[in-house]
């Protein structure tokens, strides 16, 4: 399973890359806003740090504008994936860009039927937002399970990868992994939470203390 990092913060991307945990990066207009940086500049910088797929989202809602922006974004680096919303216009852009060999991540997916459409139209990734579904009392994990199941049944026709997005906890990461998601895009703080366990800390403190008591040097 691949780990993408859901951020446009360069320092976070660099630190997690050193840990070997960054297979790719996803961004969206909100994350670009939070970074305070110029959109093209930050995407260019990220793509020079991470060799894996970098999702950069279009900022228009009309299909032709999305296609034009997607072509522009794809010129920034050969690892750019163009993110388009799951709307009729977004699907038109998905088909056009995908058939021009530009990778597409269809975002803001909240139903299995939406995911089926993106799969049929050649999306490279579908991004179901599980946290936002959980927020409104609909289990996001069930959506991941449904999409994985549909794509598996139709794997001869559908090559799209399930990219679990809107992840808010370490538990969700392990759950989407169990459900068969190909990718999880994870905010940096959740990666750090995944590393930590209180019993690891307690166990390590005991081992270090007992080692000191042996009086040995190594
Ligand atoms: O990148 C899209 C997605 O991961 C956003 O997550 O937390 O804003 O719902 P969130």
């Amino acid at each position: 399973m691949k780990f993408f990092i859901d951020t446009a913060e360069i320092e976070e991307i660099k630190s997690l890359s050193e840990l070997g945990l960054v297979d790719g990066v996803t961004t969206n207009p909100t994350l670009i806003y939070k970074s305070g940086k110029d959109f093209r500049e930050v995407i260019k910088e990220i793509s020079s740090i991470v060799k894996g797929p970098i999702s950069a989202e279009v900022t228009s809602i009309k299909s032709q504008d999305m296609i034009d922006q997607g072509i522009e974004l794809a010129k920034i680096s050969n690892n750019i994936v163009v993110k388009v919303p799951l709307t009729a216009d977004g699907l038109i852009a998905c088909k056009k860009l995908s058939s021009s060999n530009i990778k597409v991540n269809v975002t803001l997916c909240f139903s299995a039927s939406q995911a089926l459409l993106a799969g049929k139209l050649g999306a490279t990734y579908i991004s179901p937002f599980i946290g936002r579904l959980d927020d409104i009392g609909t289990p996001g994990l069930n959506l991941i399970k449904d999409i994985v199941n549909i794509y598996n049944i139709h794997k001869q026709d559908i090559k799209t990868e399930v990219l679990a997005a809107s992840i808010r906890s370490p538990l969700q990461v392990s759950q989407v992994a169990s459900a068969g998601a190909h990718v999880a895009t994870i905010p940096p703080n959740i990666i750090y939470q995944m590393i930590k366990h209180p019993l690891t800390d307690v166990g390590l403190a005991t081992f270090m203390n007992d080692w000191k008591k042996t009086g040995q040097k190594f």
Side-chain angles (χ1 to χ4, degrees):
M1 183 189 187
K2 285 165 280 191
F3 275 18
F4 290 178
I5 305 304
D6 203 23
T7 186
E9 299 298 332
I10 299 296
E11 290 314 311
E12 300 275 27
I13 294 167
K14 282 186 182 162
S15 306
L16 286 164
S17 293
E18 279 167 21
L19 265 174
L21 287 172
V22 184
D23 299 313
V25 175
T26 53
T27 64
N28 61 37
T30 304
L31 295 172
I32 298 295
Y33 166 67
K34 284 183 183 163
S35 78
K37 295 201 172 156
D38 176 80
F39 180 32
R40 286 169 208 258
E41 287 305 311
V42 78
I43 294 297
K44 197 171 172 187
E45 202 174 349
I46 295 170
S47 62
S48 71
I49 300 165
V50 176
K51 296 297 152 223
I54 312 299
S55 286
E57 188 157 344
V58 297
T59 59
S60 164
I61 55 169
K62 293 272 173 240
S63 60
Q64 191 53 54
D65 295 341
M66 289 185 204
I67 293 164
D68 294 344
Q69 288 188 344
I71 291 168
E72 251 340 275
L73 288 168
K75 284 182 192 155
I76 295 177
S77 174
N78 59 11
N79 56 343
I80 298 297
V81 177
V82 177
K83 221 170 164 188
V84 301
L86 212 156
T87 58
D89 282 80
L91 290 173
I92 291 169
C94 170
K95 185 168 168 45
K96 178 71 187 164
L97 293 167
S98 299
S99 62
S100 311
N101 285 324
I102 292 175
K103 291 193 164 114
V104 176
N105 175 356
V106 180
T107 188
L108 289 165
C109 170
F110 293 96
S111 76
S113 50
Q114 285 183 316
L116 183 55
L117 299 176
K120 272 190 73 66
L121 295 174
T124 304
Y125 302 102
I126 183 71
S127 289
F129 276 30
I130 66 167
R132 293 192 194 185
L133 279 173
D134 288 350
D135 289 345
I136 59 159
T138 302
L141 182 62
N142 288 352
L143 176 58
I144 300 293
K145 289 178 184 167
D146 286 349
I147 301 172
V148 167
N149 186 39
I150 291 170
Y151 283 6
N152 264 339
I153 292 169
H154 297 281
K155 57 175 177 270
Q156 298 299 348
D157 320 312
I158 297 179
K159 306 295 176 200
T160 308
E161 295 195 2
V162 179
L163 192 170
S166 184
I167 284 184
R168 310 268 171 79
S169 70
L171 178 64
Q172 284 174 324
V173 179
S174 53
Q175 286 175 328
V176 301
S178 293
H182 303 89
V183 191
T185 189
I186 312 168
N189 64 314
I190 304 297
I191 299 265
Y192 291 113
Q193 285 178 29
M194 288 170 74
I195 296 170
K196 292 290 279 181
H197 195 289
L199 290 179
T200 305
D201 296 343
V202 169
L204 183 60
T206 307
F207 287 159
M208 291 301 102
N209 200 34
D210 289 344
W211 170 248
K212 216 182 269 171
K213 286 193 267 181
T214 68
Q216 297 178 41
K217 294 257 180 284
F218 180 63

